[in-house]
C-alpha cells in the first residue's frame, strides 16, 4: 500500500512509476524484481537499496533468529538485489547503486544488531565499488541521521532519548525524507560521476561532533 501511495504521488507530479511486490531476502524474488524493471523500462540504470528493520538488543540479549532476521533484511537484501541488477547494468554500459546505511554504521548507538548490519552495508559497498568499477558501475552509501519515517516512529515517543539525539546534531534538526532523496538523486546522476565506494553523511554534522 505504501508503494502504491508513492506511485500515485510520482504520477501526480508528472512522473512515471510502477510497483513490484517482492521479498528482498529471497533470491528468486530479487531476480524477478530486476527482470520486471528491465522489461518495463528497457534497461536498468539505478538501484537504490532502501530496505531496513531495526533491533535494539546487545549480543547477550539477541536471539540467533533475531540476529539472522536483521542481517537477512538489511545486508543480504543488498547483496541479492545487486547480484541480479549488476549484469543488467553491464549490458547497457554501467549504472549507479546507492545503498542506504546509517550513522550507526559509523558510530554505534547501543543497538548492536542494527549497527552491525549498517556497518556491513558500508563494507559491502566498498567491496562492490572495487569489484565493478571496471564495469562503469558506481556503488555508494548514504548514512542518514534520524529521519521521521514509519520505522523510527517508536523512538519519537521517548522524549528524553530524542532530546539526547537532537543535542548531538550541530545543525539542530533531524533529517527529512527529502534530505535523503536529494542525496539519492545526486548519486544517481552524472554530477557524482567520480564518486564510488564513498559514504555520504546526511547527518547534520553528527559524526563530526
Amino acid at each position: 500500500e505504501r508503494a502504491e501511495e508513492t506511485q500515485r504521488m510520482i504520477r501526480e507530479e508528472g512522473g512515471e512509476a510502477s510497483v513490484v511486490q517482492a521479498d528482498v531476502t529471497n533470491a528468486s524474488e530479487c531476480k524477478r524484481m530486476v527482470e520486471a524493471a528491465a522489461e518495463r523500462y528497457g534497461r536498468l540504470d539505478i538501484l537504490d537499496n532502501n530496505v531496513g528493520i531495526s533491533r535494539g538488543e546487545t549480543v547477550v540479549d539477541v536471539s540467533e533468529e533475531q540476529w539472522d532476521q536483521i542481517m537477512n533484511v538489511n545486508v543480504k537484501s543488498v547483496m541479492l538485489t545487486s547480484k541480479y541488477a549488476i549484469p543488467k547494468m553491464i549490458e547497457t554500459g554501467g549504472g549507479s547503486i546507492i545503498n542506504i546505511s546509517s550513522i550507526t554504521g559509523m558510530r554505534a548507538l547501543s543497538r548492536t544488531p542494527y549497527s552491525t548490519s549498517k556497518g556491513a552495508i558500508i563494507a559491502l559497498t566498498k567491496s562492490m565499488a572495487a569489484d565493478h568499477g571496471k564495469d562503469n558501475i558506481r556503488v555508494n552509501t548514504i548514512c542518514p541521521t534520524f529521519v521521521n519515517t514509519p520505522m523510527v516512529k517508536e523512538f519519537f515517543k521517548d522524549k528524553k532519548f530524542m532530546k539526547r539525539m537532537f543535542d548531538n546534531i550541530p545543525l539542530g534538526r533531524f533529517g527529512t525524507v527529502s534530505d535523503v532523496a536529494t542525496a539519492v538523486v545526486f548519486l544517481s546522476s552524472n554530477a557524482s560521476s567520480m564518486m564510488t565506494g564513498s559514504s555520504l553523511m546526511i547527518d547534520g554534522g553528527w559524526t563530526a561532533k
Side-chain angles (χ1 to χ4, degrees):
E1 290 176 356
R2 287 202 294 264
E4 290 173 347
E5 180 185 359
T6 301
Q7 179 189 49
R8 177 185 55 76
M9 293 166 66
I10 291 170
R11 289 178 172 176
E12 286 176 355
E13 292 289 333
E16 184 178 353
S18 59
V19 173
V20 174
Q21 183 174 345
D23 177 357
V24 290
T25 68
N26 181 286
S28 62
E29 296 211 9
C30 288
K31 182 179 181 181
R32 176 176 61 83
M33 179 177 65
V34 167
E35 289 176 346
E39 180 180 347
R40 292 178 188 185
Y41 299 103
R43 57 187 293 144
L44 182 63
D45 298 293
I46 301 158
L47 170 64
D48 176 20
N49 283 304
N50 187 26
V51 173
I53 58 174
S54 180
R55 299 211 65 92
E57 296 85 354
T58 67
V59 291
V60 175
D61 301 324
V62 70
S63 70
E64 184 177 357
E65 291 76 17
Q66 290 169 333
W67 180 271
D68 288 346
Q69 181 193 32
I70 200 165
M71 294 304 161
N72 283 340
V73 174
N74 291 6
V75 186
K76 183 182 176 182
S77 65
V78 176
M79 180 275 290
L80 287 176
T81 53
S82 300
K83 176 182 180 68
Y84 297 108
I86 287 171
K88 293 292 184 184
M89 291 179 175
I90 292 173
E91 288 177 7
T92 51
S96 177
I97 298 174
I98 303 100
N99 299 322
I100 308 299
S101 179
S102 166
I103 56 168
T104 65
M106 294 283 192
R107 188 172 177 179
L109 289 176
S110 301
R111 302 184 65 80
T112 299
Y114 182 74
S115 294
T116 302
S117 72
K118 292 302 184 177
I121 290 172
I122 294 170
L124 178 57
T125 295
K126 292 179 182 293
S127 294
M128 289 167 54
D131 288 340
H132 297 288
K134 67 182 184 300
D135 301 313
N136 195 33
I137 293 173
R138 299 184 298 107
V139 191
N140 292 287
T141 305
I142 292 174
C143 299
T145 182
F146 276 86
V147 177
N148 192 1
T149 65
M151 189 183 80
V152 302
K153 284 189 182 299
E154 61 175 292
F155 297 109
F156 280 84
K157 297 175 183 177
D158 187 338
K159 301 301 182 184
K160 289 183 178 180
F161 175 79
M162 293 313 297
K163 184 181 185 306
R164 191 166 76 250
M165 298 300 101
F166 186 84
D167 290 343
N168 282 324
I169 303 175
L171 284 185
R173 69 174 179 87
F174 293 116
T176 67
V177 172
S178 180
D179 291 327
V180 179
T182 301
V184 172
V185 171
F186 168 67
L187 290 175
S188 300
S189 74
N190 289 331
S192 59
S193 63
M194 196 55 183
M195 288 182 64
T196 194
S198 297
S199 295
L200 192 60
M201 310 307 296
I202 310 298
D203 67 349
W206 182 309
T207 50
K209 185 175 180 181

PDB file of all heavy atoms in Angstrom, residues 142-164:
ATOM      1  N   ILE A 142      24.688   6.000   1.511  1.00  0.00           N
ATOM      2  CA  ILE A 142      24.173   7.177   2.212  1.00  0.00           C
ATOM      3  C   ILE A 142      23.960   6.785   3.671  1.00  0.00           C
ATOM      4  O   ILE A 142      23.366   5.741   3.968  1.00  0.00           O
ATOM      5  CB  ILE A 142      22.856   7.671   1.590  1.00  0.00           C
ATOM      6  CG1 ILE A 142      23.126   8.233   0.188  1.00  0.00           C
ATOM      7  CG2 ILE A 142      22.199   8.739   2.465  1.00  0.00           C
ATOM      8  CD1 ILE A 142      21.883   8.622  -0.561  1.00  0.00           C
ATOM      9  N   CYS A 143      24.458   7.629   4.573  1.00  0.00           N
ATOM     10  CA  CYS A 143      24.342   7.374   6.014  1.00  0.00           C
ATOM     11  C   CYS A 143      23.537   8.502   6.649  1.00  0.00           C
ATOM     12  O   CYS A 143      24.099   9.530   7.041  1.00  0.00           O
ATOM     13  CB  CYS A 143      25.721   7.285   6.654  1.00  0.00           C
ATOM     14  SG  CYS A 143      26.745   5.946   6.014  1.00  0.00           S
ATOM     15  N   PRO A 144      22.238   8.349   6.776  1.00  0.00           N
ATOM     16  CA  PRO A 144      21.409   9.408   7.363  1.00  0.00           C
ATOM     17  C   PRO A 144      21.421   9.370   8.895  1.00  0.00           C
ATOM     18  O   PRO A 144      21.705   8.344   9.520  1.00  0.00           O
ATOM     19  CB  PRO A 144      20.001   9.102   6.844  1.00  0.00           C
ATOM     20  CG  PRO A 144      20.142   7.941   5.903  1.00  0.00           C
ATOM     21  CD  PRO A 144      21.412   7.250   6.275  1.00  0.00           C
ATOM     22  N   THR A 145      21.078  10.509   9.489  1.00  0.00           N
ATOM     23  CA  THR A 145      20.739  10.565  10.898  1.00  0.00           C
ATOM     24  C   THR A 145      19.280  10.131  11.056  1.00  0.00           C
ATOM     25  O   THR A 145      18.691   9.560  10.129  1.00  0.00           O
ATOM     26  CB  THR A 145      20.958  11.986  11.451  1.00  0.00           C
ATOM     27  OG1 THR A 145      20.666  11.982  12.858  1.00  0.00           O
ATOM     28  CG2 THR A 145      20.066  13.008  10.768  1.00  0.00           C
ATOM     29  N   PHE A 146      18.667  10.404  12.193  1.00  0.00           N
ATOM     30  CA  PHE A 146      17.255  10.072  12.388  1.00  0.00           C
ATOM     31  C   PHE A 146      16.394  10.809  11.366  1.00  0.00           C
ATOM     32  O   PHE A 146      16.499  12.027  11.215  1.00  0.00           O
ATOM     33  CB  PHE A 146      16.812  10.450  13.801  1.00  0.00           C
ATOM     34  CG  PHE A 146      17.128   9.394  14.819  1.00  0.00           C
ATOM     35  CD1 PHE A 146      18.362   9.353  15.443  1.00  0.00           C
ATOM     36  CD2 PHE A 146      16.187   8.428  15.136  1.00  0.00           C
ATOM     37  CE1 PHE A 146      18.655   8.371  16.377  1.00  0.00           C
ATOM     38  CE2 PHE A 146      16.472   7.443  16.076  1.00  0.00           C
ATOM     39  CZ  PHE A 146      17.710   7.414  16.699  1.00  0.00           C
ATOM     40  N   VAL A 147      15.567  10.051  10.667  1.00  0.00           N
ATOM     41  CA  VAL A 147      14.622  10.600   9.700  1.00  0.00           C
ATOM     42  C   VAL A 147      13.233  10.127  10.113  1.00  0.00           C
ATOM     43  O   VAL A 147      13.048   8.950  10.452  1.00  0.00           O
ATOM     44  CB  VAL A 147      14.942  10.128   8.268  1.00  0.00           C
ATOM     45  CG1 VAL A 147      13.907  10.647   7.282  1.00  0.00           C
ATOM     46  CG2 VAL A 147      16.347  10.578   7.861  1.00  0.00           C
ATOM     47  N   ASN A 148      12.275  11.018  10.088  1.00  0.00           N
ATOM     48  CA  ASN A 148      10.923  10.692  10.558  1.00  0.00           C
ATOM     49  C   ASN A 148      10.196   9.812   9.540  1.00  0.00           C
ATOM     50  O   ASN A 148       9.485  10.285   8.662  1.00  0.00           O
ATOM     51  CB  ASN A 148      10.134  11.973  10.818  1.00  0.00           C
ATOM     52  CG  ASN A 148       8.844  11.701  11.579  1.00  0.00           C
ATOM     53  OD1 ASN A 148       8.543  10.574  11.929  1.00  0.00           O
ATOM     54  ND2 ASN A 148       8.090  12.747  11.836  1.00  0.00           N
ATOM     55  N   THR A 149      10.411   8.514   9.680  1.00  0.00           N
ATOM     56  CA  THR A 149       9.768   7.511   8.826  1.00  0.00           C
ATOM     57  C   THR A 149       9.017   6.533   9.723  1.00  0.00           C
ATOM     58  O   THR A 149       9.205   6.525  10.944  1.00  0.00           O
ATOM     59  CB  THR A 149      10.817   6.746   7.999  1.00  0.00           C
ATOM     60  OG1 THR A 149      11.657   6.002   8.911  1.00  0.00           O
ATOM     61  CG2 THR A 149      11.664   7.681   7.166  1.00  0.00           C
ATOM     62  N   PRO A 150       8.165   5.673   9.140  1.00  0.00           N
ATOM     63  CA  PRO A 150       7.423   4.709   9.971  1.00  0.00           C
ATOM     64  C   PRO A 150       8.318   3.847  10.863  1.00  0.00           C
ATOM     65  O   PRO A 150       7.929   3.495  11.972  1.00  0.00           O
ATOM     66  CB  PRO A 150       6.679   3.865   8.925  1.00  0.00           C
ATOM     67  CG  PRO A 150       6.452   4.804   7.789  1.00  0.00           C
ATOM     68  CD  PRO A 150       7.691   5.661   7.736  1.00  0.00           C
ATOM     69  N   MET A 151       9.543   3.510  10.385  1.00  0.00           N
ATOM     70  CA  MET A 151      10.407   2.632  11.165  1.00  0.00           C
ATOM     71  C   MET A 151      10.878   3.278  12.474  1.00  0.00           C
ATOM     72  O   MET A 151      11.097   2.596  13.475  1.00  0.00           O
ATOM     73  CB  MET A 151      11.634   2.212  10.345  1.00  0.00           C
ATOM     74  CG  MET A 151      12.452   1.118  11.020  1.00  0.00           C
ATOM     75  SD  MET A 151      13.936   0.658  10.112  1.00  0.00           S
ATOM     76  CE  MET A 151      15.044   1.992  10.580  1.00  0.00           C
ATOM     77  N   VAL A 152      11.033   4.604  12.494  1.00  0.00           N
ATOM     78  CA  VAL A 152      11.601   5.259  13.679  1.00  0.00           C
ATOM     79  C   VAL A 152      10.552   5.955  14.538  1.00  0.00           C
ATOM     80  O   VAL A 152      10.892   6.618  15.516  1.00  0.00           O
ATOM     81  CB  VAL A 152      12.707   6.280  13.290  1.00  0.00           C
ATOM     82  CG1 VAL A 152      13.815   5.604  12.521  1.00  0.00           C
ATOM     83  CG2 VAL A 152      12.130   7.435  12.483  1.00  0.00           C
ATOM     84  N   LYS A 153       9.284   5.807  14.201  1.00  0.00           N
ATOM     85  CA  LYS A 153       8.239   6.484  14.982  1.00  0.00           C
ATOM     86  C   LYS A 153       8.265   6.074  16.453  1.00  0.00           C
ATOM     87  O   LYS A 153       7.948   6.872  17.340  1.00  0.00           O
ATOM     88  CB  LYS A 153       6.856   6.214  14.376  1.00  0.00           C
ATOM     89  CG  LYS A 153       6.587   7.012  13.108  1.00  0.00           C
ATOM     90  CD  LYS A 153       5.148   6.890  12.673  1.00  0.00           C
ATOM     91  CE  LYS A 153       4.885   7.644  11.384  1.00  0.00           C
ATOM     92  NZ  LYS A 153       5.150   9.077  11.503  1.00  0.00           N
ATOM     93  N   GLU A 154       8.652   4.816  16.727  1.00  0.00           N
ATOM     94  CA  GLU A 154       8.700   4.357  18.115  1.00  0.00           C
ATOM     95  C   GLU A 154       9.699   5.178  18.933  1.00  0.00           C
ATOM     96  O   GLU A 154       9.478   5.460  20.116  1.00  0.00           O
ATOM     97  CB  GLU A 154       9.077   2.882  18.170  1.00  0.00           C
ATOM     98  CG  GLU A 154      10.440   2.567  17.578  1.00  0.00           C
ATOM     99  CD  GLU A 154      10.840   1.112  17.762  1.00  0.00           C
ATOM    100  OE1 GLU A 154      11.075   0.712  18.914  1.00  0.00           O
ATOM    101  OE2 GLU A 154      10.928   0.402  16.748  1.00  0.00           O
ATOM    102  N   PHE A 155      10.799   5.596  18.298  1.00  0.00           N
ATOM    103  CA  PHE A 155      11.808   6.379  19.012  1.00  0.00           C
ATOM    104  C   PHE A 155      11.287   7.760  19.388  1.00  0.00           C
ATOM    105  O   PHE A 155      11.646   8.303  20.429  1.00  0.00           O
ATOM    106  CB  PHE A 155      13.070   6.527  18.159  1.00  0.00           C
ATOM    107  CG  PHE A 155      13.752   5.223  17.846  1.00  0.00           C
ATOM    108  CD1 PHE A 155      13.727   4.707  16.560  1.00  0.00           C
ATOM    109  CD2 PHE A 155      14.413   4.515  18.840  1.00  0.00           C
ATOM    110  CE1 PHE A 155      14.354   3.508  16.275  1.00  0.00           C
ATOM    111  CE2 PHE A 155      15.034   3.319  18.556  1.00  0.00           C
ATOM    112  CZ  PHE A 155      15.006   2.810  17.268  1.00  0.00           C
ATOM    113  N   PHE A 156      10.456   8.331  18.523  1.00  0.00           N
ATOM    114  CA  PHE A 156       9.976   9.691  18.763  1.00  0.00           C
ATOM    115  C   PHE A 156       9.042   9.759  19.976  1.00  0.00           C
ATOM    116  O   PHE A 156       8.783  10.844  20.482  1.00  0.00           O
ATOM    117  CB  PHE A 156       9.281  10.231  17.510  1.00  0.00           C
ATOM    118  CG  PHE A 156      10.238  10.718  16.464  1.00  0.00           C
ATOM    119  CD1 PHE A 156      10.819   9.840  15.557  1.00  0.00           C
ATOM    120  CD2 PHE A 156      10.582  12.055  16.376  1.00  0.00           C
ATOM    121  CE1 PHE A 156      11.717  10.279  14.595  1.00  0.00           C
ATOM    122  CE2 PHE A 156      11.476  12.513  15.411  1.00  0.00           C
ATOM    123  CZ  PHE A 156      12.042  11.621  14.526  1.00  0.00           C
ATOM    124  N   LYS A 157       8.576   8.607  20.446  1.00  0.00           N
ATOM    125  CA  LYS A 157       7.722   8.594  21.636  1.00  0.00           C
ATOM    126  C   LYS A 157       8.542   8.791  22.915  1.00  0.00           C
ATOM    127  O   LYS A 157       8.001   9.189  23.932  1.00  0.00           O
ATOM    128  CB  LYS A 157       6.962   7.265  21.706  1.00  0.00           C
ATOM    129  CG  LYS A 157       6.001   7.037  20.544  1.00  0.00           C
ATOM    130  CD  LYS A 157       5.374   5.649  20.620  1.00  0.00           C
ATOM    131  CE  LYS A 157       4.474   5.387  19.419  1.00  0.00           C
ATOM    132  NZ  LYS A 157       3.916   3.999  19.458  1.00  0.00           N
ATOM    133  N   ASP A 158       9.836   8.486  22.839  1.00  0.00           N
ATOM    134  CA  ASP A 158      10.722   8.618  24.000  1.00  0.00           C
ATOM    135  C   ASP A 158      11.363  10.000  23.972  1.00  0.00           C
ATOM    136  O   ASP A 158      12.384  10.219  23.321  1.00  0.00           O
ATOM    137  CB  ASP A 158      11.786   7.520  23.966  1.00  0.00           C
ATOM    138  CG  ASP A 158      12.641   7.482  25.224  1.00  0.00           C
ATOM    139  OD1 ASP A 158      12.721   8.513  25.922  1.00  0.00           O
ATOM    140  OD2 ASP A 158      13.230   6.430  25.498  1.00  0.00           O
ATOM    141  N   LYS A 159      10.766  10.958  24.680  1.00  0.00           N
ATOM    142  CA  LYS A 159      11.196  12.360  24.599  1.00  0.00           C
ATOM    143  C   LYS A 159      12.625  12.551  25.097  1.00  0.00           C
ATOM    144  O   LYS A 159      13.395  13.333  24.522  1.00  0.00           O
ATOM    145  CB  LYS A 159      10.237  13.252  25.400  1.00  0.00           C
ATOM    146  CG  LYS A 159       8.784  13.179  24.934  1.00  0.00           C
ATOM    147  CD  LYS A 159       8.637  13.575  23.478  1.00  0.00           C
ATOM    148  CE  LYS A 159       7.169  13.534  23.041  1.00  0.00           C
ATOM    149  NZ  LYS A 159       7.013  13.829  21.593  1.00  0.00           N
ATOM    150  N   LYS A 160      13.006  11.849  26.182  1.00  0.00           N
ATOM    151  CA  LYS A 160      14.364  12.004  26.712  1.00  0.00           C
ATOM    152  C   LYS A 160      15.404  11.482  25.721  1.00  0.00           C
ATOM    153  O   LYS A 160      16.441  12.108  25.496  1.00  0.00           O
ATOM    154  CB  LYS A 160      14.485  11.270  28.053  1.00  0.00           C
ATOM    155  CG  LYS A 160      13.727  11.930  29.191  1.00  0.00           C
ATOM    156  CD  LYS A 160      13.959  11.183  30.509  1.00  0.00           C
ATOM    157  CE  LYS A 160      13.226  11.874  31.653  1.00  0.00           C
ATOM    158  NZ  LYS A 160      13.433  11.152  32.943  1.00  0.00           N
ATOM    159  N   PHE A 161      15.093  10.327  25.138  1.00  0.00           N
ATOM    160  CA  PHE A 161      16.006   9.748  24.157  1.00  0.00           C
ATOM    161  C   PHE A 161      16.157  10.673  22.960  1.00  0.00           C
ATOM    162  O   PHE A 161      17.273  10.935  22.490  1.00  0.00           O
ATOM    163  CB  PHE A 161      15.485   8.378  23.703  1.00  0.00           C
ATOM    164  CG  PHE A 161      16.299   7.741  22.608  1.00  0.00           C
ATOM    165  CD1 PHE A 161      17.484   7.094  22.890  1.00  0.00           C
ATOM    166  CD2 PHE A 161      15.865   7.800  21.284  1.00  0.00           C
ATOM    167  CE1 PHE A 161      18.245   6.515  21.878  1.00  0.00           C
ATOM    168  CE2 PHE A 161      16.610   7.219  20.274  1.00  0.00           C
ATOM    169  CZ  PHE A 161      17.800   6.568  20.578  1.00  0.00           C
ATOM    170  N   MET A 162      15.057  11.199  22.454  1.00  0.00           N
ATOM    171  CA  MET A 162      15.102  12.045  21.275  1.00  0.00           C
ATOM    172  C   MET A 162      15.815  13.367  21.555  1.00  0.00           C
ATOM    173  O   MET A 162      16.507  13.901  20.692  1.00  0.00           O
ATOM    174  CB  MET A 162      13.686  12.295  20.739  1.00  0.00           C
ATOM    175  CG  MET A 162      13.012  11.055  20.181  1.00  0.00           C
ATOM    176  SD  MET A 162      14.039  10.068  19.053  1.00  0.00           S
ATOM    177  CE  MET A 162      14.296  11.235  17.715  1.00  0.00           C
ATOM    178  N   LYS A 163      15.669  13.886  22.788  1.00  0.00           N
ATOM    179  CA  LYS A 163      16.404  15.111  23.133  1.00  0.00           C
ATOM    180  C   LYS A 163      17.902  14.846  23.121  1.00  0.00           C
ATOM    181  O   LYS A 163      18.683  15.683  22.635  1.00  0.00           O
ATOM    182  CB  LYS A 163      15.988  15.633  24.507  1.00  0.00           C
ATOM    183  CG  LYS A 163      16.665  16.965  24.859  1.00  0.00           C
ATOM    184  CD  LYS A 163      16.273  17.472  26.232  1.00  0.00           C
ATOM    185  CE  LYS A 163      16.867  18.851  26.487  1.00  0.00           C
ATOM    186  NZ  LYS A 163      18.338  18.905  26.300  1.00  0.00           N
ATOM    187  N   ARG A 164      18.306  13.675  23.627  1.00  0.00           N
ATOM    188  CA  ARG A 164      19.723  13.325  23.613  1.00  0.00           C
ATOM    189  C   ARG A 164      20.234  13.208  22.180  1.00  0.00           C
ATOM    190  O   ARG A 164      21.337  13.663  21.860  1.00  0.00           O
ATOM    191  CB  ARG A 164      19.933  12.014  24.375  1.00  0.00           C
ATOM    192  CG  ARG A 164      21.391  11.707  24.651  1.00  0.00           C
ATOM    193  CD  ARG A 164      21.551  10.616  25.682  1.00  0.00           C
ATOM    194  NE  ARG A 164      21.274   9.286  25.139  1.00  0.00           N
ATOM    195  CZ  ARG A 164      20.231   8.552  25.456  1.00  0.00           C
ATOM    196  NH1 ARG A 164      19.330   9.007  26.316  1.00  0.00           N
ATOM    197  NH2 ARG A 164      20.059   7.351  24.928  1.00  0.00           N
TER     198      ARG A 164
END
